[in-house]
Amino acid sequence: MINHHYLSLLAIVLTGVLSVSHAQTDCEYEAQVECYTAMWGNEISWAITNDAGEVVLEGGNYADYDADAFTHCFETGCYVLHLYDSFGDGWNGAFISLNFPGQGLMFGDMTIETGNYAAFGLALGTECEDIDTGGGG
Protein backbone atom coordinates (compact mmCIF):
# COMPACT_ATOMS: atom_id res chain seq x y z
CA MET A 1 0.00 0.00 0.00
CA ILE A 2 1.29 3.49 -0.91
CA ASN A 3 1.61 5.96 1.91
CA HIS A 4 -0.08 9.14 0.65
CA HIS A 5 1.71 11.32 3.20
CA TYR A 6 5.03 10.11 1.81
CA LEU A 7 3.96 10.94 -1.76
CA SER A 8 2.81 14.41 -0.71
CA LEU A 9 6.11 15.07 1.03
CA LEU A 10 8.04 13.78 -1.99
CA ALA A 11 6.05 16.09 -4.28
CA ILE A 12 6.84 19.08 -2.05
CA VAL A 13 10.55 18.22 -1.97
CA LEU A 14 10.71 17.73 -5.74
CA THR A 15 8.88 21.00 -6.33
CA GLY A 16 11.38 22.79 -4.07
CA VAL A 17 14.36 21.22 -5.83
CA LEU A 18 13.01 22.08 -9.26
CA SER A 19 12.28 25.69 -8.32
CA VAL A 20 15.74 26.11 -6.74
CA SER A 21 17.49 24.70 -9.79
CA HIS A 22 15.39 26.95 -12.04
CA ALA A 23 16.27 30.02 -9.95
CA GLN A 24 19.99 29.26 -10.26
CA THR A 25 19.83 29.14 -14.05
CA ASP A 26 17.64 32.24 -14.38
CA CYS A 27 20.46 34.77 -14.49
CA GLU A 28 20.36 37.98 -16.52
CA TYR A 29 24.13 38.52 -16.72
CA GLU A 30 26.26 35.57 -15.64
CA ALA A 31 29.89 36.62 -15.29
CA GLN A 32 32.98 34.49 -15.24
CA VAL A 33 35.20 36.28 -12.74
CA GLU A 34 38.91 35.47 -12.72
CA CYS A 35 41.62 37.02 -10.57
CA TYR A 36 45.30 36.10 -10.92
CA THR A 37 48.06 37.31 -8.64
CA ALA A 38 51.84 37.47 -8.93
CA MET A 39 54.16 38.62 -6.13
CA TRP A 40 52.59 40.39 -3.16
CA GLY A 41 49.15 38.84 -3.65
CA ASN A 42 48.22 39.74 -0.07
CA GLU A 43 48.39 43.45 -1.00
CA ILE A 44 45.59 43.35 -3.57
CA SER A 45 41.84 43.44 -3.14
CA TRP A 46 38.84 44.47 -5.21
CA ALA A 47 35.12 45.21 -4.89
CA ILE A 48 32.24 45.72 -7.29
CA THR A 49 29.61 48.25 -6.25
CA ASN A 50 26.20 48.88 -7.79
CA ASP A 51 24.79 52.30 -8.65
CA ALA A 52 23.59 52.68 -5.05
CA GLY A 53 27.17 52.25 -3.82
CA GLU A 54 26.48 48.83 -2.27
CA VAL A 55 29.18 46.16 -2.52
CA VAL A 56 27.78 43.26 -4.55
CA LEU A 57 31.00 41.24 -4.87
CA GLU A 58 34.51 41.46 -3.44
CA GLY A 59 37.77 39.59 -3.13
CA GLY A 60 41.15 39.81 -1.49
CA ASN A 61 43.56 38.17 0.92
CA TYR A 62 45.26 36.28 -1.90
CA ALA A 63 48.46 34.27 -1.82
CA ASP A 64 51.36 34.94 -4.21
CA TYR A 65 50.81 33.41 -7.65
CA ASP A 66 47.20 32.57 -6.78
CA ALA A 67 44.23 32.06 -9.09
CA ASP A 68 40.59 32.55 -8.17
CA ALA A 69 37.81 31.82 -10.65
CA PHE A 70 34.05 31.65 -10.14
CA THR A 71 30.75 32.76 -11.64
CA HIS A 72 28.45 35.48 -10.36
CA CYS A 73 25.00 36.59 -11.45
CA PHE A 74 24.50 40.33 -12.04
CA GLU A 75 21.26 42.20 -12.65
CA THR A 76 20.85 44.93 -15.25
CA GLY A 77 22.54 48.05 -13.96
CA CYS A 78 25.59 50.24 -13.58
CA TYR A 79 28.55 48.95 -11.60
CA VAL A 80 32.04 50.07 -10.64
CA LEU A 81 34.95 47.67 -10.24
CA HIS A 82 37.30 49.09 -7.58
CA LEU A 83 40.89 47.80 -7.42
CA TYR A 84 42.99 48.39 -4.30
CA ASP A 85 46.66 47.92 -3.47
CA SER A 86 47.50 48.29 0.23
CA PHE A 87 51.20 49.04 -0.36
CA GLY A 88 50.60 51.57 -3.14
CA ASP A 89 52.93 50.16 -5.78
CA GLY A 90 50.31 48.66 -8.12
CA TRP A 91 49.28 45.05 -8.59
CA ASN A 92 52.73 43.82 -9.69
CA GLY A 93 51.45 41.74 -12.60
CA ALA A 94 48.16 40.67 -11.02
CA PHE A 95 44.92 41.24 -12.91
CA ILE A 96 41.18 40.59 -12.84
CA SER A 97 38.77 39.90 -15.68
CA LEU A 98 34.98 39.69 -15.94
CA ASN A 99 33.56 37.92 -18.96
CA PHE A 100 29.89 37.63 -19.86
CA PRO A 101 29.78 34.84 -22.48
CA GLY A 102 25.99 35.05 -22.90
CA GLN A 103 26.28 38.66 -24.04
CA GLY A 104 29.66 38.50 -25.77
CA LEU A 105 31.11 41.05 -23.30
CA MET A 106 34.66 40.85 -22.03
CA PHE A 107 36.17 43.19 -19.45
CA GLY A 108 39.61 41.75 -19.11
CA ASP A 109 43.02 42.00 -17.62
CA MET A 110 42.26 45.06 -15.51
CA THR A 111 45.02 45.99 -13.09
CA ILE A 112 46.71 48.83 -11.24
CA GLU A 113 49.95 49.68 -13.02
CA THR A 114 51.12 51.98 -10.23
CA GLY A 115 49.52 53.49 -7.15
CA ASN A 116 46.92 52.18 -4.73
CA TYR A 117 43.60 52.56 -6.57
CA ALA A 118 41.94 52.17 -9.95
CA ALA A 119 38.29 51.92 -10.94
CA PHE A 120 36.43 50.80 -14.04
CA GLY A 121 32.77 51.36 -14.95
CA LEU A 122 30.63 48.41 -16.09
CA ALA A 123 27.31 48.98 -17.88
CA LEU A 124 25.12 45.88 -18.10
CA GLY A 125 22.02 46.22 -20.25
CA THR A 126 21.58 49.92 -19.67
CA GLU A 127 23.20 53.28 -20.42
CA CYS A 128 25.54 54.46 -17.68
CA GLU A 129 26.82 57.82 -18.79
CA ASP A 130 27.69 59.14 -15.36
CA ILE A 131 29.53 56.26 -13.70
CA ASP A 132 31.77 57.85 -11.06
CA THR A 133 35.05 55.94 -10.96
CA GLY A 134 36.60 58.41 -8.55
CA GLY A 135 39.32 59.34 -11.01
CA GLY A 136 40.16 55.71 -11.77
CA GLY A 137 40.05 53.94 -15.18
Side-chain angles (χ1 to χ4, degrees), residues 31-115:
Q32 297 171 342
V33 181
E34 299 175 358
C35 184
Y36 297 93
T37 69
M39 287 293 296
W40 314 111
N42 63 328
E43 294 178 4
I44 73 168
S45 60
W46 56 271
I48 298 176
T49 55
N50 61 17
D51 54 0
E54 302 165 329
V55 174
V56 296
L57 191 61
E58 60 188 339
N61 196 28
Y62 295 107
D64 292 350
Y65 302 100
D66 201 1
D68 192 16
F70 54 92
T71 59
H72 182 77
C73 186
F74 287 90
E75 297 177 358
T76 297
C78 303
Y79 298 88
V80 177
L81 170 63
H82 305 269
L83 308 181
Y84 306 100
D85 182 83
S86 63
F87 192 75
D89 62 346
W91 273 23
N92 299 301
F95 63 91
I96 187 169
S97 65
L98 285 87
N99 299 310
F100 298 84
Q103 290 73 34
L105 298 173
M106 297 176 67
F107 302 98
D109 295 2
M110 293 171 283
T111 190
I112 303 174
E113 293 296 331
T114 183

